[in-house]
Structure formats: structure tokens, C-alpha cells
Amino acid sequence: MNAYRITLGAALAATLSCSATAAEVEVLHWWTSGGEAKSVAELKKMMEAQGDTWKDFAVAGGGGESAMTVLKSRVVSGNPPTAAQIKGPSIQEWGDEGVLANLDTVAEANNWDELLPEVVAEAMKYDEQYVAVPVNVHRVNWMWANPSVFEQAGVEIPTTWDEFFAAADKIKAAGFVPVAHGGQPWQDATTFETVVLGVGGADFYRQAFVDLDPAALNSPTMVQSLEIFKRIKDYTDEGAPGRDWNLATAMVINGKAAMQFMGDWAKGEFAAAGLTPGKDYVCAPAPATGEAFTFNIDSFVMFQLSGDEAGEGQQHLATTIMSPEFQELFNLNKGSIPARLDVSLEKFDDCAKTSNEDFVASAEGATLVPSMAHGMSTFSSVQGAIYDAVTQYYNASDISAEDAAKSLVSSVQAAQ
Ligand code: BGC
């Protein structure tokens, strides 16, 4: 595998040193937290080292909703950036608009089909042609815990929802915030999908969030999931509404809170704070989710632009993103694992190694599922409808879990 990496690295260096023109690349992303900014800075550095100019187009806002709004207006006005952070089924929606550049030449020259796991490669294609390049695989169903808080409260890291509530009561009694949460629709949805995976298992999750089957969306299992999700709110603090996700992570880092349900971009914050997993913080699959894996693959699409320079820049960007050097460095900072399975994990921590093992095992065991909250399982309109139903229920005092399940069905149907 290492020889393979060296060959590819050499090939990349050769491609880059031969590249005729330096180009300007304008790249839209929403990576603005400490860990995220450090990660994207590596891409900027690598592009600049090749002589290209990086024009940063960062739009703050976890989960990327604001970034998508800004991007739409740029594309509609006929002025798209060189590349944008777009993922999952949204790639298909942008493909339908006929505005994406075809990356097949660079993909074929660099063997993407062989280097990428099938689930990743498929997500990058529109009409069987590559239109996106993957940077990573994030796992969403994680729980981040502060072991010192758990110790002070005299409890163990929970592995079931019953254990979770028993531990959360003791943590609260000991004067800590059991769950650090940011009350924003995408964060509510992130916790909610994790509960659904734990309560219903992967098949149920798929039935609900991929097949959008009304029988699953309005079922006793969904009602139970909604109840558990709502109960979690009692263990969050008063400052939760509107809080950014990285500030919630900071509460776990500084020992104010015991745990956070969040994807492994949270690890980027722990890493940026210089903390060591297994010692200063613990990553554990969220209760009852075991080795099941909700995946969230970040990727960039390139837009059709006129002029040779734009094409050159896009080629440089795509080649750089897929290089083993970038995949390693970026993901060490970002908290995710490389999208390429052949990149060595030697320098990665145990959370990343567990993520990688579970990624492979869950693909084999059919418990690998796309994250609804992070735009991997449905088109954006349906995702938005689920967000609305979930957040409304979470914030209301007069909506029962039964009614919320019914409203999931009607909202999803209206959005389809
Ligand atoms: C993205 C991550 C990002 C997170 C928080 C997710 O949807 O996939 O890359 O770190 O949102 O902004």
C-alpha cells in the first residue's frame, strides 16, 4: 500500500510540476470553526505551493445552509465560483441544472474508480460521470465525552438510552450540564437522526430517511425515538437555543458539560485545543448505535466556467484534493477519515481508527447509512421539511410525539 502511495505521490508531483499555468481558484465552503479553518488552510497552502491563487469564499454557518443560499444566488446571477462544497443528493440537483464541470478526464488519469470505496465514488457521479471530488468521510453518530466530568459524577459512558438517562440525572445532580447542545435546526436534526438509528436500527433508519416510507415515519418506533429525543432536551442548558456547534463542543472541552452528540468534525475542535483522545476526551458511538455508521462525505463540485485558466485551476484543485498527502493532512485536522481507502492511518488517533473499522464493517453488515441531517439521504427540500417538523416539535410544549410523527409524514409528502 505504501509503494502505491509513493507512486501516486510521484505522479501528482509530476502532474503539478508540468502544469502550464497557475490559476486563481475561488472556493466556497463553510469551514469557519477553529478545527475547520485549520483544515481548509491546508488546501489553500497546497494550492499556493503550486503557484495557484486561492480566493477564499467562506460562508459561516454550521451544516452549510447559509452557504447554499449564497451559492444559489451566485450561480443564478451567472457568476459561479470555481468550486463549491456540495455533497450527497444535492450533487444530483446541481447536475440537473446543467452547470457542473465534468471531471472524468482527471478522474480517469488518476484512477478514482479504483481508489474510492463504491459508496463514495457513486455519490461523486452525475449521469455516471464524475462531477465531484471527495475530501473525507465523516461519521455522524458519535458522542463526545469529558471523562473527568463523568468521573466526578461517578458514572460510566452510556451505551444504551436507559444508561444515558440514568447517567444524565447523576451528572445534572453533580452540577454539570449533561448534554452540550446548540438549538439550531441542523443540530436538532443531527441528534434526532442519531436517536432514530439507536432506537430503530439501520434498516428502520433507511426506511424512514432514505425510502421516506410513511409507515416508518409514522410508526411506534418513530414515536419512541421522538420521545427520547425530546427527553434529551431536559439535560441541555438554558443557553442552548441558537448556540453554534463549536461553542457546544467548547463546553465539553472546558468541563462545563459532560457530552455532545455531534459528527466527528467536533474532533477537529478537540484537536485544535491540543487535547488527546482517550485521555482528555472520549469518542464513543452514540447510545445503542454500536458499529452502525451514519456517513457524511464532504466533497467539492466544480462549475462550468469559460477560459483555459478556470479549467486548469479546477484540474489542480481536483488532483490536489485526491492526493494522499492532502487526504492525510486535511483529515488529521478535520476529525474525519480519508475518502481514499489506501491512505495509511498510521498517524491517525484511535477515534479515526475506530471510525475506519466501523465504516468497513458497517458496509459489510448493511448498517452503513447516509446522514439525513447532513444532506446525504434525501434532496434538500425533503431534508428541510424534516428539519422543520423536528425542530418545531423539539421547541414546542404542546406537540405530542404522535402528532410529530404524523407531521413528519405530511411535511415530507408536501416536499416531494
Ligand atoms: C459538514 C462538515 C462540517 C459540519 C459543521 C457538516 O455538514 O459535512 O464538514 O464541519 O457540517 O459545519
Side-chain angles (χ1 to χ4, degrees):
M1 182 178 68
N2 279 343
Y4 196 36
R5 280 195 57 194
I6 291 159
T7 316
L8 277 159
L12 171 71
T15 319
L16 302 179
S17 62
C18 297
S19 67
T21 22
E24 179 181 275
V25 291
E26 186 186 25
V27 184
L28 176 131
H29 61 89
W30 64 88
W31 289 328
T32 55
S33 76
E36 290 174 335
K38 260 184 102 181
S39 314
V40 74
E42 297 299 345
L43 182 55
K44 177 178 187 245
K45 266 191 251 164
M46 282 192 182
M47 291 298 286
E48 286 176 347
Q50 299 164 42
D52 294 315
T53 309
W54 178 272
K55 195 168 168 198
D56 202 46
F57 187 1
V59 180
E65 268 183 283
S66 314
M68 291 306 101
T69 311
V70 175
L71 177 65
K72 276 178 201 147
S73 69
R74 277 284 301 267
V75 177
V76 167
S77 65
N79 181 27
T82 315
Q85 188 187 345
I86 301 281
K87 49 191 177 132
S90 277
I91 296 174
Q92 308 305 315
E93 294 179 291
W94 283 100
D96 286 343
E97 296 298 319
V99 291
L100 299 186
N102 184 328
L103 303 175
D104 266 354
T105 314
V106 59
E108 270 162 35
N110 293 286
N111 271 332
W112 292 8
D113 268 342
E114 270 152 52
L115 295 172
L116 295 172
E118 209 180 318
V119 66
V120 179
E122 265 173 29
M124 300 302 124
K125 293 180 184 174
Y126 174 74
D127 211 6
E128 303 194 6
Q129 291 166 341
Y130 277 100
V131 293
V133 52
V135 297
N136 63 7
V137 177
H138 269 304
R139 183 187 199 176
V140 181
N141 60 310
W142 279 121
M143 188 174 74
W144 305 92
N146 181 318
S148 150
V149 173
F150 273 83
E151 204 182 301
Q152 289 174 68
V155 287
E156 303 281 322
I157 309 270
T159 58
T160 65
W161 287 108
D162 284 344
E163 284 175 17
F164 165 82
F165 287 113
D169 277 331
K170 293 203 174 132
I171 293 166
K172 202 173 176 177
F176 300 98
V177 178
V179 177
H181 183 65
Q184 297 174 346
W186 75 271
Q187 293 187 63
D188 297 344
T190 299
T191 302
F192 176 60
E193 72 170 26
T194 293
V195 174
V196 170
L197 181 66
V199 172
D203 287 342
F204 176 78
Y205 177 103
R206 225 175 267 119
Q207 225 184 321
F209 295 143
V210 180
D211 304 339
L212 305 173
D213 182 348
L217 290 169
N218 184 10
S219 63
T221 305
M222 187 58 80
V223 169
Q224 196 194 345
S225 305
L226 285 158
E227 280 166 356
I228 290 181
F229 167 61
K230 187 73 175 266
R231 265 180 81 195
I232 296 175
K233 193 176 178 198
D234 293 340
Y235 299 93
T236 62
D237 68 331
E238 280 179 0
R243 176 187 285 134
D244 286 333
W245 68 272
N246 51 320
L247 301 181
T249 310
M251 291 169 66
V252 179
I253 291 178
N254 64 31
K256 196 170 177 229
M259 53 197 144
Q260 180 186 21
F261 297 109
M262 191 47 67
D264 42 20
W265 46 92
K267 202 181 76 188
E269 300 306 296
F270 289 101
L275 304 185
T276 309
K279 184 170 140 276
D280 305 316
Y281 68 97
V282 170
C283 59
T289 64
E291 71 173 27
F293 192 118
T294 17
F295 68 85
N296 172 24
I297 305 163
D298 283 314
S299 52
F300 284 93
V301 297
M302 316 274 164
F303 289 93
Q304 284 169 23
L305 297 169
S306 54
D308 291 347
E309 187 189 325
E312 285 266 348
Q314 292 177 329
Q315 205 176 331
H316 295 177
L317 194 59
T319 317
T320 305
I321 289 175
M322 270 295 282
S323 71
E325 292 79 2
F326 169 79
Q327 295 260 330
E328 181 183 73
L329 201 53
F330 177 87
N331 288 300
L332 280 170
N333 286 296
K334 188 71 171 65
S336 33
I337 53 172
R340 285 175 57 149
L341 284 176
D342 65 327
V343 174
S344 162
L345 292 184
E346 209 179 304
K347 294 191 192 147
F348 285 73
D349 59 34
D350 287 346
C351 299
K353 286 180 183 145
T354 302
S355 180
N356 189 57
E357 278 160 24
D358 289 352
F359 181 56
V360 174
S362 63
E364 277 163 14
T367 57
L368 178 66
V369 293
S371 167
M372 173 277 292
H374 294 276
M376 290 284 128
S377 78
T378 69
F379 289 127
S380 51
S381 51
V382 171
Q383 181 199 21
I386 300 177
Y387 273 23
D388 289 349
V390 167
T391 287
Q392 216 185 0
Y393 163 70
Y394 187 71
N395 290 312
S397 51
D398 57 352
I399 303 179
S400 67
E402 285 77 9
D403 285 345
K406 286 190 196 110
S407 121
L408 272 175
V409 175
S410 55
S411 317
V412 165
Q413 279 172 351
Q416 273 176 313

